[in-house]
Amino acid sequence: MFDSRFFIKYLIILLLAVGGSYFIPPMQSPDENQHIAKAYLVAQGDWLLTTAPGKMSGGYVDDGLRDFIQGHMQLSGRPDFRLSPQEKQRLRSLAWSGAENRSFMEIPGTGFYLPLIYLPHAMAIKTGELAQLSIHHTYYLTRIFVMAIAIALMLIAFSLHRPGTLALGILLLPMGVFQLLSPTLDGITTSLSLLAVSLFLAFQSKPQRPATFYLLACLLILIATTRIHLAPLLLLLFIIGWQQKNRKYLGLGLFASCFTLFWIVFSIKTTVDNRIPRDISSLEALRYYVIHPVDFAQVLFNTVTNSEMMYFYFQSFIGKLGWLDTNLTLWHYPVFGTCLILFALLNAFAPFNKANHAIARSSLAATALLSVLAIFTALLISWTPHPATIVHGIQGRYFIVPFLLLAYALHGLFDVRSRAFALAGQLLLCAFFAFSAFSLLSTLQSRYSIF
């Protein structure tokens, strides 16, 4: 049945997102250059990366697209640099060079993601090519299409299970919104994760059709093979199988886990990524820390007790935009932090939802904590020189989904049915949205001078 209210909400949010996205020039989200190039390869049917002699893994990318990417990458890491009007016009007018004019581009960072996650991007790029749009217009078509899918998935998730104030507050932070407005993978994977959690909680309130479980399994496979640190979410399949005493569900959970493990090992083995000079491979590093758990614990302790690292995580969780080269106004960070604390209190003191019983809460909390541990483990074995003293390469935005899981786990922990609390939460969310939008857009305008 057509839900007009859902459509109106969707249209309003999408229009706001499209308007906000024009404050962000192309290629200004971390690794966006690689994601766009990978999506182009998928659009051409090149699902797996290749490796040219003496180079890292990549693929043959249209020369016009390479020029478009490299032209906008001039902004990255150079806060005081601006493209000239002539250069902007040149980049806007670039056309596709054609299949005969493609050259090799190194994009090793995308080799670890299951190519299926790039289908929305690839569909938009292929549409732009077939319609003979300029690369500039194809890029913005891709950005809008990916945003539209991510927002739709998010609203579907919210229609299945209403989120608490803390989850909404996290999603409205400048960092999360910035990533949603960029055609990378963060917006899609966050929305898929929210949908997966909502489906899991649907099983906690009443029996669901087997098709719902199969959908959940597919979502979790896609999430776990795209964001390896979210692989602990696969445990939700086993929890449902155990609750319902369903061997088929348990078997599908085992298949999903084995496929994810296969993809992780396959991608590590076949992807040449020398961005971080290392004497040992990721699998060798993993083997070392499995044999020496005390060393792992020491590195982890050193990292979480390093005040500079913790402040960087905090800043890049709230909002450290661009290629980590654009900070919000300094006083905005404690304001956002204070609001999150208030949201956490309002989230805990909320009406109890029968789907959030003890098993559901503990399951979501456990997967959140395991995901946080997986972040440190993954970056330790893949992005940190060995031997290590602290873990390198972690950004605060990596913690967004784990904290969303915790927010869902703690929602309605204390069953308080108060209109005053509910009204306070709604008013604070409205003020928070306005402040976050102001903080984000003013920072982007100052950084990129779009208008």
Side-chain angles (χ1 to χ4, degrees), residues 17 53 107 140 165 206 213 246 284 293 295 347 369 421 430:
I107 50 172
Y140 278 97
T165 52
K206 62 181 181 180
F213 185 86
N246 190 313
E284 289 172 334
D295 290 357
N347 186 72
L369 294 176
F421 268 61
C430 290

Side-chain angles (χ1 to χ4, degrees), residues 137-424:
H137 287 110
T138 300
Y139 169 82
Y140 278 97
L141 173 65
T142 304
R143 178 185 277 189
I144 292 170
F145 186 62
V146 172
M147 274 194 299
I149 290 177
I151 292 169
L153 291 171
M154 195 176 296
L155 289 181
I156 292 171
F158 293 167
S159 69
L160 295 174
H161 186 91
R162 187 175 181 179
T165 52
L166 180 57
L168 292 173
I170 292 171
L171 291 170
L172 289 173
L173 287 171
M175 190 74 256
V177 175
F178 178 80
Q179 291 301 108
L180 176 67
L181 302 183
S182 303
T184 55
L185 300 182
D186 282 26
I188 290 286
T189 52
T190 298
S191 296
L192 288 173
S193 300
L194 290 171
L195 182 55
V197 170
S198 294
L199 290 174
F200 169 74
L201 290 173
F203 275 97
Q204 305 308 305
S205 58
K206 62 181 181 180
Q208 302 291 322
R209 295 178 300 172
T212 304
F213 185 86
Y214 302 149
L215 173 61
L216 176 59
C218 291
L219 291 176
L220 292 178
I221 290 173
L222 191 55
I223 294 166
T225 52
T226 303
R227 291 289 183 253
I228 295 175
H229 67 276
L230 296 179
L233 280 170
L234 292 167
L235 293 172
L236 300 181
L237 298 175
F238 293 97
I239 292 167
I240 295 173
W242 168 72
Q243 287 176 317
Q244 301 197 2
K245 297 180 175 57
N246 190 313
R247 292 184 178 181
K248 288 184 178 180
Y249 288 179
L250 292 172
L252 188 53
L254 182 60
F255 169 79
S257 302
C258 290
F259 180 84
T260 300
L261 180 60
F262 162 78
W263 174 258
I264 292 172
V265 175
F266 173 80
S267 62
I268 291 175
K269 286 283 191 180
T270 58
T271 302
V272 178
D273 185 0
N274 299 323
R275 289 175 294 173
I276 299 297
R278 294 159 54 85
D279 296 327
I280 62 175
S281 69
S282 296
L283 293 178
E284 289 172 334
L286 178 60
R287 188 181 304 114
Y288 174 85
Y289 287 111
V290 169
I291 298 172
H292 302 89
V294 175
D295 290 357
F296 174 79
Q298 184 63 56
V299 173
L300 185 61
F301 177 80
N302 292 343
T303 305
V304 299
T305 56
N306 185 305
S307 58
E308 291 184 6
M309 298 292 286
M310 290 298 104
Y311 185 63
F312 173 76
Y313 296 166
F314 172 72
Q315 276 196 321
S316 53
F317 181 81
I318 301 295
K320 201 170 181 66
L321 312 180
W323 285 69
L324 304 179
D325 56 16
T326 305
N327 289 333
L328 307 176
T329 303
L330 192 60
W331 64 268
H332 290 188
Y333 291 102
V335 172
F336 282 117
T338 301
C339 287
L340 287 179
I341 294 173
L342 293 175
F343 285 141
L345 293 173
L346 291 169
N347 186 72
F349 292 92
F352 174 77
N353 188 311
K354 65 179 182 179
N356 274 28
H357 50 68
I359 294 178
R361 290 185 192 280
S362 57
S363 300
L364 293 175
T367 53
L369 294 176
L370 288 173
S371 295
V372 170
L373 182 62
I375 291 172
F376 287 95
T377 304
L379 274 296
L380 175 60
I381 67 173
S382 65
W383 203 254
T384 304
H386 184 81
T389 54
I390 61 172
V391 183
H392 296 286
I394 295 177
Q395 300 174 32
R397 64 187 174 92
Y398 300 165
F399 298 100
I400 289 178
V401 173
F403 273 76
L404 286 172
L405 293 173
L406 279 177
Y408 273 82
L410 298 176
H411 184 216
L413 183 62
F414 305 101
D415 188 16
V416 176
R417 300 179 182 274
S418 167
R419 289 186 177 182
F421 268 61
L423 180 61

